[in-house]
C-alpha cells in the first residue's frame, strides 16, 4: 500500500498522512451510527467525563469497565455549575469507546479493511492486533484539550509496537483543534506509563524529557477521509475546540502480536473475547 518514500517518511517523522483513505459513504455510515449510539445513551447512567488531566485521579470504574464494551463520555466542560448540561446531549459527548471495532457491526465494517491491514504491515506490524477504538467528537465550543502524550503510555509492548490509525471524519483545522505532532519525536524516550492493577490505576513517570512546544511541533491539518498513522512514541496533542464546528475523528490502536503485550496495560483480552486484527 505504501511506497518506499512513504515508508521512509514514516521512519523519519514518526507519522504519515494518507489523504482520501476513506470515502464519503463510509464516513457517513460511521457518523450515523455514532449519532444513534449517543441518542440511545441515558445520561442518568453516568455523567463520567473524559479528561487527560491527572488521569490516575480522574479514572473511575465507569471508564475502566469500558475497556471491552461501548460507553459514552462527556466533555470536561459539558456541565454547568448546577450540574446540568450546558447544551444538547448530542453536543456534549467527548467520545465513545472502546471496543466498537469488535462489538458494533458498522464500526467493525469500517475497521476491518484489507487496505488498512496492508498499511499496518507496511508500517511494521507483522501481526496487527487491534485493542481499542474511539469515536472522538471534539465538540464545537467545548471540545476539550488532549494534553501532550504518547500512545505507548497506554499500550506497552516489548519491544514498543503500538501504532495509531486516526481517521478524519470531518476536516481537521487549526480552528477546530487538529492534531499537533513533533516530527521525529518518536526517536525520544517513553515519558510515562499508565498502569492498571485490578481497579486501581497509576501513572508512572519514566523520563523527564520536556514535551514539545511551538518551536518543534507542527499542526496536522487534514481533510475528511484522510488517515493519519503515527508511531506509539510520537508526542502528539490537540488544542481545545472553541470554534462553532466540530472535529469528528475515529481512532484505532494496534500492536504487533509478535511482541509481548504488557500485563499492566489497561485493556486485556482472553479466550472468551480474543483480540483481532484488521480483517
Amino acid at each position: 500500500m505504501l511506497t518506499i518514500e512513504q515508508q521512509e517518511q514514516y521512519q523519519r517523522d514518526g507519522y504519515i498522512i494518507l489523504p482520501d483513505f476513506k470515502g464519503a459513504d463510509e464516513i457517513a455510515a460511521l457518523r450515523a451510527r455514532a449519532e444513534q449510539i449517543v441518542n440511545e445513551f441515558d445520561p442518568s447512567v453516568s455523567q463520567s467525563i473524559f479528561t487527560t488531566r491527572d488521569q490516575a485521579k480522574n479514572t473511575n470504574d465507569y471508564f475502566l469497565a469500558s475497556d471491552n464494551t461501548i460507553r459514552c463520555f462527556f466533555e470536561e466542560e459539558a456541565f454547568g455549575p448546577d450540574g446540568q448540561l450546558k447544551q444538547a446531549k448530542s453536543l456534549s459527548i467527548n467520545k465513545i469507546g472502546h471496543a466498537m471495532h469488535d462489538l458494533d457491526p458498522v464500526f467493525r465494517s469500517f475497521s476491518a479493511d484489507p487496505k488498512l491491514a496492508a498499511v499496518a504491515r507496511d508500517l511494521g506490524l507483522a501481526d496487527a492486533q487491534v485493542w481499542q477504538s474511539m469515536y472522538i467528537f471534539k465538540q464545537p465550543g467545548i471540545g476539550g484539550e488532549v494534553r501532550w502524550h504518547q500512545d505507548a503510555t497506554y499500550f506497552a509492548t516489548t519491544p514498543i509496537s503500538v501504532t495509531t490509525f486516526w481517521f478524519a471524519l470531518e476536516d481537521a483545522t487549526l480552528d477546530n483543534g487538529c492534531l499537533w505532532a513533533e516530527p521525529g519525536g518518536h526517536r525520544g524516550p517513553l515519558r510515562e506509563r499508565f498502569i492498571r492493577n485490578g481497579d486501581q490505576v497509576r501513572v508512572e513517570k519514566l523520563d523527564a524529557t520536556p514535551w514539545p512546544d511551538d518551536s518543534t511541533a507542527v499542526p496536522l491539518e487534514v481533510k475528511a477521509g484522510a488517515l493519519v498513522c503515527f508511531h506509539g512514541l510520537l508526542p502528539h496533542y490537540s488544542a481545545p475546540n472553541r470554534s462553532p464546528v466540530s472535529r469528528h475523528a475515529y481512532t484505532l490502536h494496534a500492536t504487533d502480536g509478535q511482541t509481548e503485550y504488557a500485563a499492566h496495560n489497561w485493556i486485556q483480552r482472553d479466550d472468551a473475547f480474543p483480540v483481532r486484527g484488521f480483517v
Side-chain angles (χ1 to χ4, degrees):
M1 278 293 297
L2 301 181
T3 66
I4 296 298
E5 290 76 17
Q6 287 173 319
Q7 293 178 61
E8 290 175 345
Q9 179 189 347
Y10 182 81
Q11 294 300 321
R12 180 186 72 243
D13 295 337
Y15 66 89
I16 189 171
I17 297 172
L18 304 176
D20 301 317
F21 193 86
K22 289 290 189 178
D25 290 347
E26 293 175 283
I27 292 173
L30 203 69
R31 292 190 61 178
R33 179 58 184 140
E35 180 181 4
Q36 184 179 10
I37 291 172
V38 170
N39 286 341
E40 294 172 353
F41 169 60
D42 181 359
S44 66
V45 172
S46 173
Q47 292 191 350
S48 179
I49 64 169
F50 176 76
T51 177
T52 58
R53 304 173 194 275
D54 197 358
Q55 285 183 294
K57 178 180 178 182
N58 289 305
T59 298
N60 57 23
D61 293 342
Y62 180 82
F63 179 88
L64 289 176
S66 71
D67 51 357
N68 293 316
T69 188
I70 301 172
R71 291 189 169 179
C72 294
F73 299 86
F74 286 102
E75 290 281 5
E76 192 171 359
E77 299 177 19
F79 297 96
D82 59 356
Q84 300 301 308
L85 289 174
K86 294 192 289 187
Q87 50 193 33
K89 179 180 67 171
S90 62
L91 295 174
S92 302
I93 299 294
N94 172 284
K95 72 172 182 177
I96 308 170
H98 290 93
M100 299 89 72
H101 63 288
D102 276 333
L103 297 177
D104 186 273
V106 177
F107 278 86
R108 181 63 191 168
S109 177
F110 189 97
S111 309
D113 184 343
K115 289 195 308 175
L116 194 52
V119 170
R121 285 192 297 270
D122 288 346
L123 295 180
L125 297 180
D127 176 22
Q129 296 185 329
V130 185
W131 294 95
Q132 174 177 276
S133 51
M134 296 188 297
Y135 189 104
I136 302 167
F137 292 86
K138 204 73 167 182
Q139 299 285 7
I142 63 168
E145 174 191 37
V146 177
R147 71 176 184 90
W148 281 103
H149 66 285
Q150 299 160 296
D151 288 344
T153 292
Y154 307 96
F155 298 94
T157 62
T158 306
I160 290 173
S161 66
V162 64
T163 306
T164 301
F165 300 84
W166 190 99
F167 302 88
L169 305 179
E170 296 182 296
D171 293 351
T173 69
L174 283 170
D175 288 339
N176 68 3
C178 68
L179 290 174
W180 288 72
E182 180 188 30
H186 64 300
R187 292 190 290 273
L190 180 64
R191 293 161 171 83
E192 299 174 338
R193 182 161 48 208
F194 188 78
I195 296 174
R196 177 176 183 177
N197 183 9
D199 291 335
Q200 301 297 314
V201 298
R202 62 187 174 90
V203 177
E204 182 181 10
K205 303 293 184 181
L206 302 177
D207 193 279
T209 299
W211 294 107
D213 56 31
D214 290 350
S215 66
T216 57
V218 298
L220 306 184
E221 293 188 282
V222 295
K223 295 290 187 181
L227 168 62
V228 184
C229 307
F230 51 93
H231 191 282
L233 284 176
L234 183 74
H236 58 285
Y237 146 91
S238 66
N241 180 12
R242 303 306 183 197
S243 81
V245 297
S246 57
R247 192 225 65 188
H248 289 204
Y250 177 59
T251 67
L252 296 165
H253 293 97
T255 63
D256 188 347
Q258 296 186 5
T259 63
E260 181 182 355
Y261 188 78
H264 70 253
N265 287 336
W266 85 279
I267 294 179
Q268 300 289 331
R269 295 284 185 90
D270 56 25
D271 291 342
F273 190 20
V275 63
R276 294 193 286 175
F278 288 113
V279 291

